[in-house]
Amino acid sequence: MKILRLAMFAAAFLLSLGTGVHAQTTLRVGLAEDPDILDPTMARTYVGRIVFASFCDKLFDIDEKLNIVPQLALSHEFSDDGREVTIKLRPGVKFHDGEPLDAEAAKFSLERHLTFPGSFRKPELAALDHVDIVDPLTIKLVLKSPFSPLIAQLTDRAGMMISPKAAKAEGDKFGLHPVCAGPYKFVERVQQDRIVFEKFADYWNKDNIFIDRVVFLPIVDATVRLANLKSGGLDLIERVLATDIKDVRADSRLKLSTAIELGYQGVTLNIGKDKAKGPLSQSAKVRQALDLSIDREAINQVVFNGEFKPGNQWVNPDHPYYQKSFPIRPRDVAKAKALLKEAGVTPPVNVDFMVPKGAETEAVAQVIQSMASETGFDMKIRVTEFATSLKQAEAGEYQAYLLAWSGRIDPDGNSYIFQHKDAPQNYSAWSNAEADKALDDARLVTDPAQRKAIYEKLTKAVMEDEPLLYIYHRRILIAHTTKLDGYKQMPDGLVRVIGLKLK
């Protein structure tokens, strides 16, 4: 029924475009989930970042080699002491409501990220004290202290610029009618059904926009997404199942684009908000026992045909910041049982295991459940809609949570917001003074060797206390029709529409 409904919507939508001198082109993208709020200050989902890439440009972006490149900004320059950053803005940029993107607007956007109630960007810009306007197209970011991840943060939602006029008018409802400065402007959203954008005529880089409309369609079932791609109901889908790789490659009408993700897949453990105060939250030894129950390579082989990369840290084993002195621990059932005994815990250890709905996540959860049962854990899987699971994680309504993070180019973006005390996505509610110091210190230095040495201290604290079990790193799998030209897969997993053409 979902396939039929989507096909009927696609047909009706194309007819609604009307008949002009030439047929309008529409890029139809199948998403694995429905995004959360379309407000860059408040958003936090990976799938939301995919949608933002089509309509919310940032001050900076990245290229295929993770180099930072200009987007809405033309350049940046740090002061000698690292406490000031002067950013020159691109001239002639307009928001979708026709308002100019100037220094005033950039200052407003950055300050909104810092001050808006509940902002998820605030910790990303924690070092920013205030923004000075140098001239109509130049701003100066004045920092409380040197902050090495700053420009990397501005390649993502913290660097997205929004229309001050629209933001002031809409307040906390801005996400319902977002106004940015990207290639496409918002038309409509129907929850759990579609998000529609149309080409913005006054986009600063309009000569590289060749598709008239982009429609995002959330389809949780990966098999249904692929079926719609094959039938022509979709042009591109994200998160192809690893088990479907051979099928996609065998279809001459399809192309597969891949890259190892910057992020990770792990199990967050509720330490500070577990109302039941179960053994998992009360003892690091119990958490270590659960870790030792898991065979990461077996999960990779069983669920992903060996296509993904096992891991045990917030960056993948090929990343320059990976700590080789802390290799992946092999599965050890005997030691896991011994740790439970040392902790004074009598099996079975009952665990409320919250798992976002999805074929692969549920398969991983079932393998973990089976492995953990052999060491004395009863992982009671509770499949939950993704956006709901985030709310429950915030409230501490879980004991273990299978959660993915799409990743950032700087290691700070994979660690600080999850591990620092009181950080907004520290769902574990973990508090560790040594870890907090390492996280703060790593933000003060720019030398890679010095930063890596600091992160080694953090890794030690995390490995001992186990607030989060890092399990594997996905291979980004994007499939699209051969009718789509110009697609390049970036390591951040986002879908960029610049330069894309539909034959």
Side-chain angles (χ1 to χ4, degrees), residues 109-397:
S109 292
L110 291 168
E111 289 181 345
R112 183 179 188 267
H113 289 327
L114 278 177
T115 61
F116 198 77
S119 169
F120 283 97
R121 307 289 78 80
K122 185 176 180 179
E124 299 170 7
L125 298 173
L128 179 58
D129 184 73
H130 65 275
V131 181
D132 288 339
I133 295 176
V134 178
D135 62 43
L137 288 175
T138 307
I139 56 174
K140 181 185 291 183
L141 310 189
V142 181
L143 309 181
K144 300 171 187 174
S145 59
F147 184 56
S148 53
L150 179 63
I151 303 303
Q153 297 286 24
L154 297 179
T155 66
D156 209 278
R157 288 169 295 203
M160 291 179 186
M161 300 289 99
I162 65 174
S163 166
K165 180 181 177 181
K168 291 173 184 176
E170 296 288 343
D172 61 1
K173 301 294 192 297
F174 177 80
L176 299 177
H177 304 94
V179 180
C180 292
Y184 292 85
K185 62 181 181 180
F186 178 79
V187 175
E188 68 167 341
R189 179 178 189 177
V190 180
Q191 292 285 152
Q192 304 293 334
D193 187 82
R194 65 185 183 273
I195 309 172
V196 182
F197 297 91
E198 65 181 24
K199 184 165 64 173
F200 179 45
D202 290 328
Y203 181 53
W204 64 270
N205 194 15
K206 62 184 176 183
D207 290 343
N208 285 313
I209 302 299
F210 306 105
I211 295 172
D212 297 303
R213 283 200 168 198
V214 180
V215 181
F216 294 95
L217 298 140
I219 304 171
V220 175
D221 191 315
T223 303
V224 176
R225 283 200 305 280
L226 180 56
N228 276 279
L229 181 67
K230 286 184 170 186
S231 69
L234 293 172
D235 304 296
L236 181 148
I237 61 173
E238 55 113 358
R239 274 178 277 183
V240 173
L241 295 179
T243 49
D244 287 332
I245 289 176
K246 289 182 181 179
D247 190 15
V248 172
R249 286 178 173 157
D251 193 325
S252 61
R253 301 166 301 169
L254 303 179
K255 286 186 178 181
L256 186 71
S257 295
T258 74
I260 290 293
E261 69 176 350
L262 295 171
Y264 61 80
Q265 316 298 300
V267 180
T268 300
L269 303 178
N270 186 349
I271 295 176
K273 290 185 177 180
D274 179 20
K275 296 168 186 174
K277 296 194 179 300
L280 202 60
S281 65
Q282 302 303 299
S283 171
K285 288 184 178 181
V286 176
R287 296 191 290 275
Q288 290 167 10
L290 179 58
D291 193 352
L292 288 169
S293 303
I294 299 170
D295 186 331
R296 289 160 169 80
E297 180 55 37
I299 291 174
N300 183 36
Q301 294 297 331
V302 170
V303 184
F304 306 116
N305 288 348
E307 293 281 350
F308 290 3
K309 186 175 285 290
N312 66 332
Q313 298 172 31
W314 48 93
V315 293
N316 70 59
D318 296 332
H319 196 282
Y321 279 92
Y322 183 81
Q323 304 291 333
K324 293 182 179 178
S325 58
F326 293 93
I328 298 172
R329 298 165 179 156
R331 186 177 191 235
D332 191 332
V333 173
K335 188 173 182 181
K337 289 181 177 180
L339 283 169
L340 289 180
K341 188 174 182 180
E342 288 176 26
V345 173
T346 302
V349 178
N350 295 317
V351 178
D352 172 32
F353 190 16
M354 183 165 64
V355 178
K357 183 175 177 59
E360 286 186 340
T361 51
E362 291 174 48
V364 170
Q366 288 163 7
V367 174
I368 291 175
Q369 180 188 55
S370 177
M371 290 176 173
S373 68
E374 295 179 28
T375 58
F377 290 90
D378 184 4
M379 307 290 288
K380 298 182 184 298
I381 295 172
R382 177 164 56 87
V383 177
T384 310
E385 190 272 326
F386 181 60
T388 302
S389 74
L390 287 176
K391 292 178 182 177
Q392 293 187 1
E394 279 183 345
E397 296 172 358

